[in-house]
Amino acid sequence: MQGTTVAKLLKGSKIRLGIDRIARHPGFDRPLGMARIGRFSISPTGGREGRPVVTILDAAQVPNSAGMAASPVFGDIPAAAVCLAIPYAASQPADIIDAFRRFDLPCFTSFFDEYLLESRLISLCREKIDLCTTIQGTLVRLFSRGVLLTGESGTGKTACAIRLARKGHDWVADDVVALKKEKDGTLCGRAHPRIAGFIGVRGEGAVRADKVLPPGSILEETSVDLVVSFVREQVPEAGRISFRRIMGKKLPQLEMPCSLDASALDSQIERQVVLMVHRGEE
């Protein structure tokens, strides 16, 4: 994402990161072209026990900034740090966030522990800076439109994808879909590198997709244009279109009960994609 800043990175992520308080500083508007997430401990001056801190690092500076920079409050901090995330907000002294205002570094407190906070920040950077993420689901392509099948394990996503491939459509990925947002906003999906070319068949485990699917039905990548969510409970208005945002991309979502007859389920998905094509929707 061109022109990303710390402020843009954190925007809309209060719940996702468990943010309690933010010490705003002009540094929040500093351009951030690449980022790395680091975890370390800092000690208040004269303190005996270190406090865990998760940092957002400017990756462009990391190779040349292996040292530390002195902070008047907590001693040494990574020289490449552009933001500090302080976990365990509920157990922090009331003045800790105010103490960080005294030096040139934005920071925020979070209710999460350092491990969850680190994981969430890594995935957030992947989405907003690297413009990629992964999602549980199965990806197929019908009538030149990519359809992402989502839902709990056992709701029939893989079985549906196999049936659609045997009807002449394309299969792209099973179980984990790697998504990337292109510069024009298009969301593209492919199989996760670790399981590319494999499909999970109930009772058999992971098998080579070309042993299960018809020749020529395996596609390396497709755009993602529609989400079909398989649910266990009955849906009052099955087939009703809602919307879901993935990496900021607004996608139409079709909610379908997995108890629906297989042929009816497949036909409903095909019908919706045909409507999209006729309406000229991307």
Side-chain angles (χ1 to χ4, degrees):
M1 178 187 295
Q2 297 297 321
T4 298
T5 64
V6 174
K8 290 180 180 179
L9 182 67
L10 300 181
K11 183 179 180 181
S13 302
K14 182 175 181 179
I15 295 177
R16 182 174 181 174
L17 298 178
I19 295 176
D20 175 40
R21 296 180 63 192
I22 296 180
R24 297 196 175 277
H25 185 278
F28 266 102
D29 295 319
R30 171 182 173 179
L32 185 62
M34 297 184 291
R36 282 176 52 185
I37 306 301
R39 177 164 42 85
F40 73 111
S41 294
I42 55 177
S43 299
T45 303
R48 295 182 179 180
E49 296 184 1
R51 295 183 184 280
V53 171
V54 181
T55 62
I56 302 175
L57 304 170
D58 186 341
Q61 293 188 30
V62 170
N64 300 317
S65 303
M68 311 291 276
S71 153
V73 183
F74 289 103
D76 291 337
I77 58 175
V82 295
C83 183
L84 295 184
I86 310 165
Y88 304 109
S91 63
Q92 298 292 347
D95 61 348
I96 188 170
I97 195 76
D98 296 317
F100 270 101
R101 294 179 188 272
R102 302 177 192 173
F103 57 98
D104 188 17
L105 190 64
C107 67
F108 66 89
T109 57
S110 169
F111 290 110
F112 296 156
D113 63 41
E114 67 267 36
Y115 303 104
L116 179 57
L117 186 55
E118 178 184 32
S119 174
R120 292 287 178 88
L121 277 169
I122 288 173
S123 64
L124 185 65
C125 286
R126 283 177 53 82
E127 288 182 23
K128 292 194 174 183
I129 298 179
D130 299 334
L131 301 182
C132 61
T133 189
T134 57
I135 191 169
Q136 295 291 124
T138 298
L139 185 60
V140 292
R141 185 172 176 86
L142 290 72
F143 309 119
S144 76
R145 296 294 189 272
V147 180
L148 178 64
L149 309 178
T150 66
E152 297 177 6
S153 177
T155 50
K157 302 182 296 295
T158 298
C160 178
I162 292 174
R163 292 195 304 269
L164 289 170
R166 289 174 176 171
K167 293 179 68 174
H169 303 297
D170 297 313
W171 175 91
V172 181
D174 185 56
D175 193 34
V176 180
V177 180
L179 300 175
K180 184 173 180 62
K181 193 174 184 180
E182 302 295 344
K183 291 182 179 180
D184 63 359
T186 301
L187 200 62
C188 293
R190 59 172 54 215
H192 190 282
R194 293 184 179 178
I195 55 175
F198 286 86
I199 190 168
V201 178
R202 186 171 296 277
E204 297 182 38
V207 299
R208 288 181 57 88
D210 56 11
K211 302 294 184 183
V212 179
L213 305 176
S217 64
I218 300 175
L219 196 63
E220 183 177 348
E221 183 179 80
T222 182
S223 59
V224 179
D225 307 289
L226 171 69
V227 178
V228 176
S229 176
F230 290 0
V231 295
R232 296 186 185 281
E233 64 274 11
Q234 289 297 319
V235 181
E237 298 181 58
R240 182 177 63 88
I241 290 291
S242 58
F243 293 93
R244 174 176 176 177
R245 287 192 179 275
I246 300 178
M247 297 177 64
K249 176 77 171 181
K250 186 178 180 181
L251 296 170
Q253 175 171 273
L254 182 67
E255 196 168 82
M256 300 297 296
C258 62
S259 59
L260 197 65
D261 176 75
S263 61
L265 181 62
D266 300 346
S267 296
Q268 183 74 13
I269 294 172
E270 289 177 314
R271 186 179 303 113
Q272 185 58 48
V273 176
V274 168
L275 287 174
M276 291 180 64
V277 173
H278 286 172
R279 289 195 296 257
E281 296 180 6
E282 295 296 330

